[in-house]
C-alpha cells in the first residue's frame, strides 16, 4: 500500500519543523524546537556571455599559386606563404606518388627538410610543388 506524505510550509524553516514533528511521531518522541535554517550565502558570480562562433564555410581550393598567396601585413607586394601550405601541398603530392619530385624540390633549397626552407623562399617552394603537380 503506497503512502504519500506532503509537507508544506511557507518557507524552508517551517517545512523542516513540520518534518521533524512528523519524524518524531514515527519514533514516538517529542522534538525540540528546530533551529531555523539559514540559507548559505552565495557569492553572485558575474554571468559569462557565450560568444557564438559559426564554423567557417570551406572555400574551394584555388588552382593557382597566386590565389593561394596572401599579401604581407605590412602592405608590401611580396607575397607570404605559410609553411603549413607548403607542407600540405608536399603531402598531397607524396600521396599521389611523387615523393621523388618533392624531395628534389626540397633539395633544390639545400635543406634537409621542408621546415628548414627559409620563410622568404616558401612562395618559391610552393610554386615548384605546384609545377610538379601539373607535370604529368
Amino acid at each position: 500500500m503506497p503512502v504519500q506524505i506532503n509537507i508544506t510550509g511557507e518557507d524552508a524553516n517551517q517545512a523542516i519543523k513540520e518534518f521533524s514533528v512528523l519524524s518524531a511521531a514515527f519514533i514516538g518522541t517529542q522534538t525540540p524546537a528546530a533551529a531555523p535554517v539559514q540559507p548559505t550565502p552565495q557569492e553572485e558570480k558575474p554571468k559569462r556571455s557565450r560568444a557564438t562562433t559559426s564554423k567557417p564555410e570551406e572555400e574551394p581550393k584555388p588552382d593557382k599559386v597566386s590565389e593561394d598567396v596572401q599579401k604581407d601585413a605590412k602592405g608590401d607586394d611580396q607575397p607570404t606563404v605559410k609553411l603549413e601550405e607548403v607542407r600540405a601541398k608536399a603531402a598531397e603530392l607524396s600521396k599521389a606518388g611523387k615523393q621523388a619530385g618533392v624531395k628534389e624540390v626540397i633539395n633544390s633549397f639545400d635543406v634537409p627538410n621542408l621546415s628548414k626552407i627559409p620563410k622568404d623562399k616558401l612562395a618559391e617552394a610552393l610554386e615548384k610543388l605546384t609545377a610538379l603537380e601539373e607535370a604529368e
Side-chain angles (χ1 to χ4, degrees):
M1 164 182 189
V3 176
Q4 184 177 2
I5 300 172
N6 291 329
I7 298 175
T8 57
E10 290 183 27
D11 58 13
N13 289 331
Q14 189 177 10
I16 290 172
K17 284 181 187 178
E18 293 294 326
F19 183 72
S20 65
V21 170
L22 180 62
S23 63
F26 284 124
I27 299 172
T29 62
Q30 274 196 334
T31 60
V37 176
Q38 298 293 327
T40 57
Q42 295 180 352
E43 280 187 35
E44 287 189 30
K45 295 181 182 177
K47 293 184 179 181
R48 296 188 307 177
S49 63
R50 291 187 176 196
T52 57
T53 57
S54 60
K55 292 184 179 180
E57 293 182 17
E58 190 172 315
E59 296 180 18
K61 288 187 177 181
D63 290 337
K64 297 187 179 185
V65 176
S66 61
E67 294 175 14
D68 209 27
V69 176
Q70 300 174 355
K71 294 285 183 182
D72 197 2
K74 299 175 188 174
D76 293 342
D77 286 340
Q78 285 192 342
T80 59
V81 175
K82 295 182 180 180
L83 176 61
E84 291 79 18
E85 296 173 48
V86 178
R87 193 178 306 259
K89 180 63 77 176
E92 180 182 321
L93 291 170
S94 292
K95 287 181 183 177
K98 298 185 178 185
Q99 296 93 340
V102 171
K103 188 66 177 169
E104 199 174 297
V105 169
I106 294 170
N107 290 337
S108 71
F109 292 98
D110 294 324
V111 293
N113 56 40
L114 279 174
S115 301
K116 302 294 182 185
I117 296 177
K119 289 183 181 180
D120 60 331
K121 301 285 185 179
L122 289 176
E124 184 181 341
L126 187 59
E127 286 178 18
K128 287 183 177 184
L129 290 171
T130 303
L132 177 66
E133 179 182 41
E134 293 172 358
E136 291 279 330

